[in-house]
Amino acid sequence: MRKITLLLVLVLAVPVFALPRQVADDMRSNVVFLMKENQIVCSGVKVSDTSVLTAAHCPSDAKVSEDMTTLLDSSALKEDKDRDLRLLRVSGLQKKWASLANEWWVGMDIYLVGYILGQPRVISYGLLETVIPSFTYGNWKDAQVFCTGANVHPGSSGGGWFDSEGRLLAIQSFGYYDTNTLGDRGVIERVWSCGIGLDSVKAFLGGAR
């Protein structure tokens, strides 16, 4: 039985040992937060000095913040609800942003940055374990989806998946529980984190940045 949920539950974090400090710092600085009533409700990734890529299911009236203190107004440049992507125009961003990865493969190292373990800009490590070329379920339609067992937390939607060089691979979208019954040996449950994959992100952005 599988159940789709937008509220991603807490699992154990895996520490990151091999990531160079500058790459980790760049990943973290490229992630921003969407805030309402002084609470983080979603994350986002800077893809130019005036635009942020996030998930389309995030509140459209949320403010953007890089430091959780200064709130920046935003407006939607474009949106694709089928692929859960929204591009925001934001003024006042720092002049640094994420570049897109060139390639992906199953088994590669990935680093999720968002609101993880209830803290901002924590990096969670995992492997790209599953790729669904054309995911269609509920609100999602014909989206390339990447899935991993890496840790996430509510508020991470719209956050970035990065490769080992700090380039953007995917935008966090949803999580689901995979439950397998093993007869008298009990039940195994696994929480998957899933993001909109690089091919869908590139197709969405086009020349919009």
Side-chain angles (χ1 to χ4, degrees), residues 108-122:
M108 71 184 296
D109 294 328
I110 56 169
Y111 303 86
L112 280 64
V113 184
Y115 191 64
I116 299 169
L117 292 174
Q119 299 294 322
R121 294 194 176 97
V122 174

Side-chain angles (χ1 to χ4, degrees), residues 141-206:
K141 182 179 180 181
D142 194 28
Q144 183 192 49
V145 165
F146 292 173
C147 292
T148 179
N151 176 59
V152 291
H153 191 274
S156 291
S157 290
W161 294 33
F162 299 91
D163 66 13
S164 59
E165 296 183 25
R167 298 172 299 192
L168 183 64
L169 280 168
I171 294 294
Q172 177 63 32
S173 180
F174 65 93
Y176 74 89
Y177 304 91
D178 195 1
T179 303
N180 293 307
T181 302
L182 302 177
D184 58 4
R185 289 181 291 175
V187 175
I188 294 178
E189 291 187 353
R190 185 172 186 190
V191 182
W192 292 86
S193 306
C194 297
I196 304 303
L198 181 63
D199 294 351
S200 285
V201 168
K202 285 184 173 180
F204 174 75
L205 287 177

